Amino acid sequence: MDQDTAAAESEAPARPAGASPSRRTVMTMLAGGAAAAAGLRPSAPALAQGYPDRPVKILVPFAAGGPTDIIARLVATKLSDNLGKQFYVENMGGAGGNIGMAAAARSAPDGTTVLLASPSLVINPTLFQKVAFDPIKDFVPITVVSDSPNVYFVHPSVPAKSLKELIDLIKASPKTYTYATGGTGTVGHLAVEFLKLSYGLEATHVPFRGSGPSLQSIIGGHNQIGCMTLGTVVGLLDKVRALAVTSKARFPSAPDIPTIAEVGFPGQESATWQGFLVPAGTPQPIVDVLYAEITKAMEAPGVRERLVELGFTPILNKPDEFAAQIRAEHDKWAKVIREAKIEGQ
């Protein structure tokens, strides 16, 4: 007997011993059996009725003020309004996001803790010798709400006017050029390492603690090359020369920058995404409610426009699509990290 049937029988009025079941009882039992045989189950709202009955924490594994934090707060406000319970953001930074992601993995699987993660979820298990979470086994994906492509750019003193010209310069003068990123193991860093491995390039990585300082180092001419999220660079494109975005299509707020495939390097696409997950074991009805409500929040007036202003593309893929993305990116970046011999700091 499944749990739903047991619950239904426990709530039914008692019958005198030996009495025949009523016609209504028989029909209910037959209907339940038919539903079970067909693999049907009540709708998610019915099973998750009353959720949430407590405040819900959206855990951001980074400091406040970054893109993941901004998006978390946008969505939290809409969820609070729509569901009538407080959704609040808690920042738990440190160790490249490992502390917050491990805390989310250990949280009760009851829908009261939701993680908003970035690609560090799939990168860090290979980048670091040991992390206290498994990106595939410890979480149930809900949806990727947005992503931002990387953009390759150079200081204006670099003579390259295209990514191909830059690659030719690097090949002609190995180890001469330096590229700055927001840190070891960021998507921008791994994207450059992937390009280097693919085309036999030698350039020196200069990691910074954040995209802001790395961008300023290039604007100041201390480093020649950059690769970081378009959202970081989009407001300063007049101070650098953008060569290509790593998305499959040109970005609406920077339509003059060609895609990396357009300039002759297909297969080099990459992006920094933000996706919601819950701890493994969270009941599917709660996952369904969160997916529906996060989708609704993202489609509210002004939210999408705000994301585009920040350099992000609204995504909203399905849970199974997000799960497939996690597996694919975990394997892709693990290969790059191992071949380039990158170690977390």
Side-chain angles (χ1 to χ4, degrees):
M1 181 184 300
D2 62 36
Q3 293 179 345
D4 292 339
T5 304
E9 290 191 357
S10 68
E11 295 173 0
R15 292 184 290 108
S20 300
S22 67
R23 181 177 182 277
R24 180 178 180 182
T25 300
V26 170
M27 294 302 293
T28 299
M29 292 171 65
L30 289 173
L40 301 176
R41 60 187 177 91
S43 65
L47 285 174
Q49 188 173 7
Y51 173 80
D53 58 358
R54 288 170 285 170
V56 176
K57 172 173 63 183
I58 297 179
L59 198 157
V60 174
F62 306 105
T68 306
D69 177 68
I70 293 171
I71 291 168
R73 294 178 190 280
L74 277 173
V75 174
T77 299
K78 298 298 181 182
L79 291 176
S80 297
D81 293 342
N82 293 342
L83 289 172
K85 290 291 182 180
Q86 183 186 13
F87 282 72
Y88 66 97
V89 174
E90 180 175 313
N91 300 92
M92 190 179 294
N98 289 339
I99 294 173
M101 289 184 285
R106 295 191 301 268
S107 297
D110 57 5
T112 57
T113 297
V114 181
L115 173 68
L116 183 58
S118 71
S120 57
L121 177 77
V122 296
I123 291 170
N124 288 7
T126 308
L127 183 67
F128 293 88
Q129 290 187 350
K130 185 178 181 180
V131 296
F133 65 90
D134 184 302
I136 297 171
K137 296 179 180 178
D138 289 344
F139 296 100
V140 177
I142 299 174
T143 183
V144 173
V145 290
S146 64
D147 70 20
S148 180
N150 290 306
V151 56
Y152 280 96
F153 60 98
V154 294
H155 185 269
S157 64
V158 177
K161 299 297 190 294
S162 68
L163 187 58
K164 183 180 184 305
E165 290 182 6
L166 176 62
I167 288 175
D168 290 341
L169 284 174
I170 296 172
K171 285 185 174 180
S173 303
K175 300 182 181 180
T176 299
Y177 291 91
T178 60
Y179 70 97
T181 71
T184 299
T186 58
V187 177
H189 174 212
L190 298 185
V192 177
E193 292 296 330
F194 186 32
L195 189 73
K196 287 168 60 181
L197 289 168
S198 300
Y199 296 95
L201 308 178
E202 293 184 78
T204 303
H205 179 217
V206 181
F208 284 79
R209 296 182 67 84
S211 296
S214 66
L215 176 58
Q216 290 303 319
S217 79
I218 299 167
I219 292 174
H222 305 294
N223 295 286
Q224 299 93 18
I225 304 166
C227 181
M228 57 194 72
T229 58
L230 180 60
T232 302
V233 185
V234 69
L236 296 168
L237 290 174
D238 59 330
K239 299 183 182 300
V240 296
R241 183 183 304 123
L243 303 179
V245 290
T246 61
S247 51
K248 293 183 178 179
R250 296 197 181 200
F251 200 81
S253 62
D256 295 333
I257 306 176
T259 69
I260 199 161
E262 286 179 313
V263 297
F265 303 96
Q268 294 287 325
E269 290 81 8
S270 62
T272 297
W273 45 262
Q274 286 76 34
F276 284 96
L277 308 96
V278 287
T282 300
Q284 186 62 40
I286 292 178
V287 175
D288 293 343
V289 168
L290 285 169
Y291 173 69
E293 292 297 332
I294 290 170
T295 299
K296 182 178 177 182
M298 290 295 297
E299 292 175 345
V303 174
R304 286 175 170 264
E305 293 80 2
R306 177 60 176 148
L307 289 178
V308 173
E309 288 174 4
L310 293 169
F312 290 91
T313 302
I315 302 295
L316 291 175
N317 58 2
K318 296 178 180 179
D320 60 339
E321 294 171 332
F322 187 13
Q325 180 177 342
I326 287 172
R327 291 191 293 269
E329 291 198 17
H330 175 270
D331 294 345
K332 172 184 176 179
W333 294 131
K335 186 173 186 293
V336 171
I337 290 167
R338 292 186 182 117
E339 291 186 3
K341 297 179 173 60
I342 301 169
E343 295 182 0
Q345 296 179 340

